[in-house]
DNA sequence: GTTAGCATGTAAGGAGTTACATGATTTT
DNA sequence: AAAATCATGTAACTCCTTACATGCTAAC
């Protein structure tokens, strides 16, 4: 999975689009958005902020840090915010739903900022992602069947599991696409339990109905 | 998540441990082993082979390429094989089931060569991986509940989906661990297909009945 | 006779990591 | 007084990618 083309930059712009922040706080939020729990390092973050400033997309102001209990001190933090050019650029990123945007990591970041996009773009990206995945499924299924005799059980199992995961993600996307189209899906069949019981209404509700097989 | 520490090297050693091969063929096999369908480039592969030769773990012989229909020509291919030192080193890699080995990509590669390892090591790695994942689950679940009010629906959904995937992988590991212990799992809890249908002794037999679905 | 696949490589560079360096503030 | 956490950065390095360069063979 690494068709990576700078996942950091759009993620930073996206977060700052919501609200200004300083570097340290950005990092914590990024670790959530960047999906996979990886701990982003300062060695990546601060240089990236620098180049974004250089390009004129964000600007940083030293804030004397208004501590809740006041006094003079506390180390001055640099609070970054999107400039006008930065907002424009970010909108451009969101609108460009080209092939790059349905690669693994890029997709995650795009998806995380879906709330800032229009429904049309959301659909384009979801469907692009879906066809990307089914395309993969075909390739892998074929090589699976071609080579299964020559593989040991563990390699086989790893591949079966991989396939299953992708199949599941396709169904997830199906739910999201239906939802985006305003189709209210039938009650989920029960295997896909929500992390939490209650759910706000109007929320995207992927009816990831997946039937057990076998 | 990239706690990557050279996933290529062990993968190459592992494949050559099974049978000697030349670079071009290695690449194709690697794309399967390396799980995620990514197309590994020659720009990575050949330099890596070079350094492995330099370290004395593999050796390459120019073979005039015995074409099936014979004649003189065809470009000479360099067929690589593990040296004695290389075999030893690879066994060392397999045996070292330290924390590094239960990170995402490393785990996949380790798992792919489980057939070359002893049952004890397999169990250590599977269990290490499992506790790594549950640890993550806790962290993410907590931040999920702490911050859910401040997040939009899409970010929320992305995180819910991520959590679900990890939960599923834990159940998958549970199946494998049971299997490794020779426990015949009671009917799986319902959402995951049986990892094991019938049971040969000692041998893991993933029930890879992968039916095509319309 | 030209496209597709086999086969091996090099050079430049991108996106990120680790390890280091520094210092203030809060908690124990 | 020590330890944790907040806060900002730099330098060196790693692993891998893209784009290039070369040439042979099989199939259409």
């Amino acid at each position: 999975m690494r068709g990576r083309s700078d996942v950091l930059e759009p993620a930073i712009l996206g977060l700052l689009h919501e609200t200004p922040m300083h570097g340290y706080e950005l990092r914590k939020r990024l670790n959530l958005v960047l999906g996979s729990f990886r701990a982003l390092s300062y060695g990546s973050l601060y240089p990236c902020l620098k180049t974004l400033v250089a390009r004129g997309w964000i600007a940083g102001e030293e804030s004397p840090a208004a501590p809740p209990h006041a006094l003079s001190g506390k180390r001055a933090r640099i609070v970054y915010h999107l400039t006008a050019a930065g907002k424009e650029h970010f909108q451009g990123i969101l609108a460009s739903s080209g092939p790059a945007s349905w690669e693994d990591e890029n997709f995650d970041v795009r998806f995380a900022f879906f709330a800032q996009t229009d429904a049309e773009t959301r659909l384009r990206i979801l469907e692009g992602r879906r066809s990307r995945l089914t395309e993969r499924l075909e390739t892998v299924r074929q090589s699976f069947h071609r080579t299964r005799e020559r593989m040991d059980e563990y390699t086989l199992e790893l591949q079966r599991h991989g396939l299953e995961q992708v199949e599941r993600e396709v169904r997830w996307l199906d739910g999201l696409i239906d939802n985006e189209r305003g189709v209210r899906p039938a009650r989920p069949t029960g295997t896909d339990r929500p992390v939490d019981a209650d759910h706000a209404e109007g929320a995207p509700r992927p009816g990831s109905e997946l039937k057990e097989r076998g």
Side-chain angles (χ1 to χ4, degrees), chain A residues 110-199:
Chain A
R110 289 293 204 296
F111 187 85
F113 300 115
F114 258 24
Q116 261 93 6
T117 328
D118 56 302
E120 213 180 305
T121 307
R122 290 199 292 258
L123 252 177
R124 266 211 313 281
I125 293 180
L126 288 173
E127 276 165 355
R129 173 70 175 165
R130 193 191 186 282
S131 71
R132 190 100 198 69
L133 289 183
T134 52
E135 193 184 288
R136 267 190 202 169
L137 272 180
E138 262 331 287
T139 316
V140 181
R141 270 213 199 92
Q142 269 166 35
S143 86
F144 186 86
H145 282 113
R146 261 192 291 106
T147 59
R148 60 183 306 172
E149 254 72 54
R150 283 179 285 144
M151 293 191 293
D152 64 284
E153 336 264 8
Y154 289 103
T155 311
L156 223 59
E157 175 58 21
L158 188 60
Q159 242 154 78
R160 196 200 58 74
H161 180 243
L163 268 173
E164 202 188 300
Q165 295 242 103
V166 180
E167 285 167 3
R168 220 173 275 286
E169 196 166 340
V170 169
R171 290 196 289 274
W172 180 66
L173 285 170
D174 284 339
L176 291 170
I177 289 171
D178 281 353
N179 203 280
E180 211 61 59
R181 290 214 177 97
V183 176
R184 179 171 302 263
R187 272 232 152 286
T189 47
T191 79
D192 195 355
R193 66 200 154 120
V195 170
D196 215 295
D198 63 280
H199 223 94

Side-chain angles (χ1 to χ4, degrees), chain A residues 4-177:
Chain A
R4 341 92 163 152
S5 47
D6 207 358
V7 92
L8 239 186
E9 217 178 271
I12 290 174
L13 295 175
L15 283 179
L16 293 182
H17 186 263
E18 288 167 9
T19 176
M21 260 177 277
H22 60 275
Y24 194 86
E25 200 185 341
L26 253 173
R27 193 194 97 137
K28 284 191 297 185
R29 303 271 257 111
L30 280 169
N31 287 339
L32 287 178
V33 167
L34 256 41
S36 312
F37 331 100
R38 109 244 239 146
L40 174 78
S41 61
Y42 298 115
S44 316
L45 177 58
Y46 286 110
C48 187
L49 286 172
K50 251 192 169 176
T51 71
L52 289 177
V53 169
R55 287 184 207 171
W57 294 334
I58 67 176
E61 279 175 66
E62 280 216 10
S63 96
H69 48 295
L71 213 88
S72 59
K74 193 165 201 176
R75 178 168 192 178
R77 309 179 294 180
I78 302 174
V79 176
Y80 292 96
H81 60 90
L82 275 192
T83 61
K87 274 173 201 165
E88 210 178 320
H89 177 67
F90 182 61
Q91 289 306 326
I93 290 176
L94 289 178
S96 78
S97 44
S101 60
W102 30 82
E103 290 307 321
D104 295 322
E105 300 228 47
N106 296 58
F107 172 77
D108 281 1
V109 175
R110 289 293 204 296
F111 187 85
F113 300 115
F114 258 24
Q116 261 93 6
T117 328
D118 56 302
E120 213 180 305
T121 307
R122 290 199 292 258
L123 252 177
R124 266 211 313 281
I125 293 180
L126 288 173
E127 276 165 355
R129 173 70 175 165
R130 193 191 186 282
S131 71
R132 190 100 198 69
L133 289 183
T134 52
E135 193 184 288
R136 267 190 202 169
L137 272 180
E138 262 331 287
T139 316
V140 181
R141 270 213 199 92
Q142 269 166 35
S143 86
F144 186 86
H145 282 113
R146 261 192 291 106
T147 59
R148 60 183 306 172
E149 254 72 54
R150 283 179 285 144
M151 293 191 293
D152 64 284
E153 336 264 8
Y154 289 103
T155 311
L156 223 59
E157 175 58 21
L158 188 60
Q159 242 154 78
R160 196 200 58 74
H161 180 243
L163 268 173
E164 202 188 300
Q165 295 242 103
V166 180
E167 285 167 3
R168 220 173 275 286
E169 196 166 340
V170 169
R171 290 196 289 274
W172 180 66
L173 285 170
D174 284 339
L176 291 170
I177 289 171

